[in-house]
Amino acid sequence: SAMNSINWARVMAQVVYYVTAARTLGASTTSPVSFAVPTGNFGNVFAGWAAQAMGLPVGRLIVASNRHDILVRFLDRGAMVAADVVATSSPSMDIGVSSNFERLLFEATSRDGGACAATMAAFAADGEYRVLPEVHGTITDYFDGVRVSEDEVDEEMAAWHRRGLLVDPHSAIGLRAAEA
């Protein structure tokens, strides 16, 4: 079996990252921890949501995106609209459709498989869909989105380099989103 980003076993294993980090940082119900996650396919940050759903004290989950900001635009407007993909310095985020987002949509629609399937069929046919305001609100109760440009990636990497640390483009996006 492949362990790509849409494999549920991989998402489950990534839950451990959040539990370990939150415990290390001393998260509690009175002092939750937030995470900024560079993401394109939404699997890793969905694992953070799953950890929170299991009771981990998480404040916010910040979807950190490069120019392929389909998730950030959804969080801003409640509409998922496909766009062309071009190469960036963060290739694992060069994704036009975040396939793991369907898992969150299923949860946000009260696990209504029919409604979720209809929404995804509309997306496949039209390249876009809009969710009801209450579904959008359920999602934005947990998630924020930050878009980071290629220039900002370069600036972030240079700033960390001046501090004596090397940071890859994906991490630079997460760090810039956390700062924002």
Side-chain angles (χ1 to χ4, degrees):
S1 168
M3 285 301 284
N4 63 21
S5 62
I6 60 170
N7 186 309
W8 177 245
R10 179 169 163 180
V11 174
M12 288 186 332
Q14 289 171 322
V15 168
V16 176
Y17 303 161
Y18 292 90
V19 174
T20 301
R23 289 187 55 134
T24 300
L25 295 170
S28 68
T29 54
T30 58
S31 183
V33 64
S34 293
F35 295 93
V37 184
T39 189
N41 207 26
F42 199 72
N44 192 323
V45 74
F46 180 76
W49 178 89
Q52 184 178 46
M54 291 180 216
L56 188 70
V58 174
R60 301 295 294 166
L61 293 162
I62 302 160
V63 173
S65 177
N66 64 8
R67 70 176 287 158
H68 301 293
D69 61 350
I70 189 168
L71 295 166
V72 174
R73 287 183 284 121
F74 174 86
L75 292 167
D76 288 347
R77 302 180 204 129
M80 187 73 70
V81 180
D84 292 335
V85 175
V86 297
T88 70
S89 64
S90 48
S92 68
M93 298 170 65
D94 293 348
I95 294 174
V97 177
S98 300
S99 57
N100 278 298
F101 193 77
E102 185 175 353
R103 290 184 164 121
L104 181 66
L105 185 62
F106 175 71
E107 297 294 339
T109 57
S110 301
R111 305 186 125 212
D112 183 340
C116 187
T119 300
M120 297 314 296
F123 187 60
D126 303 330
E128 65 180 87
Y129 66 83
R130 179 170 293 282
V131 297
L132 296 171
E134 57 269 21
V135 172
H136 185 248
T138 296
I139 292 169
T140 56
D141 281 348
Y142 298 97
F143 293 91
D144 291 310
V146 176
R147 172 185 315 100
V148 180
S149 71
E150 285 291 290
D151 288 341
E152 291 171 317
V153 170
D154 293 345
E155 291 167 8
E156 193 70 22
M157 290 171 57
W160 282 96
H161 188 262
R162 286 190 296 276
R163 297 177 193 158
L165 295 171
L166 291 176
V167 174
D168 67 276
H170 299 86
S171 297
I173 290 168
L175 289 163
R176 178 61 69 104
E179 292 168 0

